């Protein structure tokens, strides 16, 4: 159960970080790529934590 909670926290934090990047650097293509990378990495990490081996 704690793995699922940690995964949700990481996913929300990654999504928040992606939004912050878009707010700090509005209108740049690099911001879009950085935001997608941060969000993708966060969701990948969350999935690895949530699913036990």
């Amino acid at each position: 159960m704690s793995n699922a909670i940690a995964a949700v926290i990481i996913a929300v934090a990654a999504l928040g970080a992606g939004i912050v990047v878009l707010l700090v650097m509005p209108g740049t293509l690099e911001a879009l790529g950085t935001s997608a990378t941060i969000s993708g990495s966060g969701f990948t990490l969350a999935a690895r934590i949530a699913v036990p081996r």
Side-chain angles (χ1 to χ4, degrees):
M1 185 66 166
S2 68
N3 283 352
I5 293 170
V8 169
I9 291 172
I10 290 171
V12 169
L15 191 59
I19 291 170
V20 167
V21 168
L22 289 177
L23 291 176
V24 171
M25 300 188 313
T28 61
L29 195 57
E30 292 87 8
L32 199 58
T34 303
S35 177
T37 302
I38 290 172
S39 298
S41 300
F43 285 124
T44 301
L45 180 62
R48 286 187 175 193
I49 289 175
V51 178
R53 291 185 180 239

